[in-house]
């Protein structure tokens, strides 16, 4: 699926003020559930990631590289 090419912070909501201490690292594979635009015009993606524990969070869509896998 979709990969994180360079690492990304994760957010509780589609708002930069909701940043968490969590992050995704390079080449993590994520599933995109939803997309939303902020009032400032930034595109956010609601993602899921399976790791040691499952993560459901928001990231800027620009931090995801779409793949055809």
């Amino acid at each position: 699926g979709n990969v994180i090419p360079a690492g990304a912070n994760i957010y509780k909501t589609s708002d930069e003020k909701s940043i968490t201490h969590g992050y995704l690292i390079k080449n993590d594979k994520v599933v995109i559930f939803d997309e939303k635009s902020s009032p400032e015009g930034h595109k956010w993606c609601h993602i899921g990631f399976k790791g040691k524990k499952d993560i459901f969070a928001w990231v800027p869509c620009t931090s995801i590289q779409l793949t055809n896998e």
Side-chain angles (χ1 to χ4, degrees), residues 22-63:
Y23 56 91
L24 298 169
I25 61 171
K26 183 177 179 174
N27 295 327
D28 277 350
K29 289 184 172 27
V30 298
V31 176
I32 300 172
F33 297 116
D34 195 12
E35 287 185 26
K36 185 186 271 191
S37 289
S38 69
E40 301 82 34
H42 300 122
K43 285 190 93 166
W44 290 85
C45 289
H46 190 221
I47 58 98
F49 170 75
K50 278 196 166 300
K52 288 179 190 160
K53 64 180 188 175
D54 294 349
I55 296 171
F56 299 95
W58 290 86
V59 298
C61 292
T62 55
S63 63

